[in-house]
């Protein structure tokens, strides 16, 4: 039977798994299953339970609306299950078997953890404080902070995120932290007396680093454990209650820097790197456009503290690793070849992992640590079995300066040796992210409609060592853009690639590179630039990360001292060179790469007589391609395909 091409509307038929959590026994686990509701133009998520024999529903959809259940968590004794749900409006904590939520906080609950004795929950939620009062009917906001908006949130309401304790018996909720600071990622000590959490409590708003803090729940004393020396997050207790491990470093503001697995001795304050020779990037940095998984990627100490498990990115794949706490030896526990582990859990000698590959968005595997795992879910098997899924072929490039670069090629549906085909080069954002061995609906759709797809990891990408990642700091659209053009030119030499029909597309930093490439070479016959950057000088002042992330990425160069260099690395300066037919895709609530970046590029190209159109999505933000309204995601995919069919077909 001949295979069919993926189409944009197949998104409605896909199912996604994420956030697997093992019971204390290790013999059962919970996970979140997400699907897209075409009628509601939104997302539905339920919690499912694997009993050791079969998957059964733990929560069910009730009525209409975009109800999403998430973040399931077993009580320490395994007898109760708490989870988050927006079924009553905002996200609140629910307990299994209850018809009403445990919490009713005005701004909802963003996350929670169980107390070690199972008698309560520690919550992360906003503290509603008094708002400034203006004249009745006025629509005004007083802004006093440097960071006043955030992509996906909008203009910040000014309410600080605090930590709270919910007593399950009395239902009383007690606020534990105070002040105009945000707190997150609580971790309770085994004895229940101490609460570690993440917060930036610096008075200087230009200081953006988070620290690990320790709250003594008995004396209420606060202690900064990391001292603002570098990025810090994901605190986890070792069972002795005297040591914390976390992910971070002590390198200050350090774009592209690799986080380390570090340990804090609470008695002495000593802070050490537990794996000084580990070369890989901690966490999974590989993106995808069909993923709904915010589960654990580590660190996860075992109950006896002898092992610490974590996910790390190796080139275009990510695998599960283990640190032997006694010997310091690090070993790979699970993963081989072209795959991406997006989350995992370990309990009582059992392991569950969510494994994505180029041919599946992700499925759950379960079994004994060190033994053979069994595939538990295969939610997309029926849909995918009749679809053309081009398996990416790994391609290695040697840059003229000797740098080793990695990419992948997907051949089109119906490929015949001796024929030639149009090719689309896809460019990732970041710049400190990674393309790799994950399923991309967009790429497979293009391949199914006759386009070869090339995707690569230029310098600046994660997964190839810290030096590789940091080589672009202060040199955006320098060596990274050279890498991209070089790899596109090398691919154009392949006998089956039609070098007159090569297109380019990318989003965010990938859109920035797209704009740069079409203003520096005419090798591309069509371009789709998405949520892009065109003028770094103006972006410094309008993006939620412009004054910090972009400035640090540009090596600290600032508006008043380095105006010429900032404009030199802005595609806008070279707009007069563009001849490539260009489609601009942007959203009006994108605060990461604000709409004005796309508008500037559109107006410039239009004035200069370039063939250009814009798809402007209302009510969407920077995450349109990954979590936007489904109808808009479909229109976006169809727009990309249509543009390349028009100019490369």
């Amino acid at each position: 039977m001949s295979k069919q091409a993926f189409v944009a509307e197949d998104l409605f038929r896909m199912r996604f798994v994420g956030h697997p959590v093992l019971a204390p026994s290790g013999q059962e686990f919970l996970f979140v299953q997400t699907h897209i509701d075409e009628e509601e133009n939104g997302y539905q998520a339920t919690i499912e339970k694997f009993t050791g024999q079969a998957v059964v529903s733990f929560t069910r959809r009730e009525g209409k609306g975009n109800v999403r259940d998430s973040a399931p968590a077993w009580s320490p004794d395994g007898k109760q299950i708490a989870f988050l749900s927006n079924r009553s409006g905002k996200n609140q904590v629910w307990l299994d078997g209850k018809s009403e939520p445990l919490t009713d906080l005005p701004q909802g609950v963003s996350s929670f953890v169980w107390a070690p004795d199972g008698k309560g929950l520690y919550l992360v939620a906003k503290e509603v404080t008094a708002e400034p009062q203006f004249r009745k009917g006025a629509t005004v906001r007083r802004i006093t902070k440097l960071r006043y908006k955030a992509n996906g949130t909008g203009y910040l309401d000014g309410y600080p995120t605090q930590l709270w304790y919910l007593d399950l018996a009395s239902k009383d909720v007690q606020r534990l932290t105070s002040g105009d600071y945000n707190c997150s990622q609580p971790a309770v000590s085994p004895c229940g007396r101490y609460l570690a959490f993440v917060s930036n409590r610096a008075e200087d708003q230009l200081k953006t680093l988070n620290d690990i803090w320790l709250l003594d729940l008995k004396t209420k004393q606060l202690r900064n454990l990391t001292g603002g020396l570098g990025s810090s997050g994901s605190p986890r207790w070792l069972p002795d209650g005297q040591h914390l491990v976390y992910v971070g470093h002590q390198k200050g503001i350090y774009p592209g820097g690799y986080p380390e697995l570090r340990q804090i001795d609470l008695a002495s304050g000593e802070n050490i790197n537990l794996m000084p020779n580990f070369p890989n990037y901690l966490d999974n940095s590989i993106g995808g456009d069909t993923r709904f998984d915010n589960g654990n990627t580590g660190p996860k100490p075992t109950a006896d503290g002898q092992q610490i498990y974590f996910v790390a990115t190796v080139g275009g794949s990510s695998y599960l690793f283990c640190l032997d706490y006694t010997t310091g030896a690090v070993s790979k526990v699970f993963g081989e070849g072209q795959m991406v582990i997006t989350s995992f859990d370990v309990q009582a000698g059992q392991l569950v992992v969510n494994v994505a590959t180029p041919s599946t968005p992700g499925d759950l595997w379960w079994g004994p640590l060190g033994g053979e795992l069994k595939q538990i879910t295969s939610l997309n098997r029926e849909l995918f079995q009749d679809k053309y899924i081009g398996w990416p072929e790994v391609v290695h490039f040697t840059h003229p300066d000797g740098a080793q670069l990695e990419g992948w090629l997907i051949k089109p549906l119906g490929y015949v040796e001796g024929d030639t085909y149009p090719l689309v080069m896809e460019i990732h954002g970041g710049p400190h992210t990674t393309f790799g061995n994950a399923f991309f609906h967009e790429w497979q759709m293009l391949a199914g409609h006759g386009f070869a797809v090339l995707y690569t990891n230029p310098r600046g990408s994660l997964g190839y060592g810290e030096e590789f990642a940091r080589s672009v700091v202060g040199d955006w659209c320098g060596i990274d853009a050279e890498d991209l053009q070089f790899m596109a030119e090398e691919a154009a030499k392949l006998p089956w690639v039609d070098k007159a029909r090569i297109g380019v597309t990318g989003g965010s930093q990938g859109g920035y590179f797209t704009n740069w490439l079409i203003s520096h070479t005419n090798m591309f016959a069509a371009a789709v630039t998405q949520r892009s950057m065109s003028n770094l000088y103006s972006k410094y002042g309008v993006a939620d990360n412009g004054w910090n992330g972009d400035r640090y990425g540009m090596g600290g160069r600032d508006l008043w001292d380095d105006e010429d260099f900032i404009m030199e690395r802005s595609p806008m300066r070279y707009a007069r060179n563009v001849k490539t037919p260009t489609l601009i895709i942007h959203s009006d609530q994108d605060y990461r790469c604000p709409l004005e970046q796309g508008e500037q590029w559109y107006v410039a190209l239009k004035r200069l007589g370039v063939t250009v159109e814009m798809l402007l999505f209302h009510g969407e933000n920077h995450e349109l391609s990954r979590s936007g309204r489904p109808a808009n995601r479909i229109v976006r995919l169809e727009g990309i395909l249509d543009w390349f069919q028009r100019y490369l077909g």
Side-chain angles (χ1 to χ4, degrees), residues 19-307:
H19 206 119
V21 183
L22 284 162
S25 67
Q27 298 304 310
E28 301 177 287
F29 66 82
L30 302 163
F31 65 95
V32 177
Q33 179 176 311
T34 303
H35 73 275
I36 294 171
D37 189 317
E38 182 175 5
E39 181 181 350
E40 297 285 344
N41 196 25
Y43 301 88
Q44 301 281 344
T46 57
I47 296 172
E48 309 296 313
K49 182 179 182 181
F50 176 66
T51 64
Q53 301 296 324
V55 173
V56 298
S57 294
F58 179 74
T59 65
R60 299 178 185 276
R61 177 182 176 183
E62 298 180 5
K64 291 190 175 183
N66 295 315
V67 174
R68 301 182 76 167
D69 301 332
S70 62
W74 301 83
S75 62
D77 61 7
K79 295 180 179 179
Q80 297 184 92
I81 297 167
F83 60 96
L84 293 178
S85 179
N86 66 347
R87 60 182 66 184
S88 62
K90 295 184 181 294
N91 255 0
Q92 303 289 351
V93 181
W94 293 69
L95 202 60
D96 55 303
K98 305 297 182 183
S99 59
E100 298 292 333
L102 285 176
T103 60
D104 187 25
L105 294 175
Q107 294 294 314
V109 176
S110 57
S111 65
F112 70 92
V113 294
W114 281 90
D117 60 9
K119 295 180 179 180
L121 301 171
Y122 290 93
L123 315 175
V124 178
K126 288 184 176 182
E127 177 189 12
V128 177
T129 54
E131 297 182 2
Q133 297 299 311
F134 294 99
R135 184 180 182 87
K136 183 179 180 180
T139 55
V140 61
R141 177 187 303 272
R142 188 185 303 279
I143 295 173
T144 61
K145 293 187 176 181
L146 185 55
R147 183 173 176 81
Y148 61 90
K149 61 182 177 181
N151 184 70
T153 301
Y155 287 91
L156 302 180
D157 55 26
Y159 299 148
T161 301
Q162 307 288 11
L163 303 182
W164 312 72
Y165 177 73
L166 167 66
D167 183 276
L168 292 180
S170 67
K171 303 298 189 295
D172 288 340
V173 177
Q174 175 190 3
R175 180 168 51 79
L176 303 175
T177 56
S178 61
D180 194 17
Y181 314 104
N182 292 320
C183 307
S184 64
Q185 302 179 42
V188 196
S189 64
C191 68
R193 176 168 174 172
Y194 300 99
L195 188 65
F197 63 96
V198 174
S199 184
N200 174 8
R201 306 175 86 79
E203 296 298 329
D204 185 348
Q205 295 181 41
L206 288 170
K207 294 184 177 180
T208 58
L209 293 173
N210 284 324
D211 279 306
I212 307 294
W213 289 77
L214 188 70
L215 172 63
D216 186 324
L217 294 170
K218 183 177 181 180
T219 67
K220 310 304 180 186
Q221 182 179 359
L222 265 178
R223 177 181 167 193
N224 187 340
L225 298 179
T226 50
L229 298 178
S231 174
S232 304
S234 302
R236 306 285 192 270
W237 288 90
L238 294 183
D240 64 7
Q242 299 301 311
H243 296 87
L244 272 170
V245 294
Y246 73 99
V247 175
H249 58 67
Q250 296 185 327
K251 305 169 188 175
I253 302 291
Y254 205 64
Y258 273 29
E260 302 158 356
L261 181 60
R262 302 191 66 87
Q263 174 184 274
I264 301 169
D265 184 308
L266 296 183
S268 67
E270 182 184 42
N271 189 321
I272 61 172
N273 182 357
L274 292 175
M275 304 187 303
N277 298 315
F278 188 70
N280 301 312
Y281 182 80
L282 296 187
D283 207 350
N284 168 42
S285 64
I286 299 165
D289 64 353
T290 54
R291 182 179 303 157
F292 293 85
D293 188 2
N294 59 354
N296 180 61
T297 54
K300 178 65 184 288
T302 53
D304 61 7
Q306 294 304 301
Q307 290 85 32

Side-chain angles (χ1 to χ4, degrees), residues 311-327:
V311 170
T313 300
V314 183
S317 294
S318 63
Y319 306 128
L320 182 65
F321 291 83
C322 176
L323 166 68
D324 185 297
Y325 187 73
T326 302
T327 67

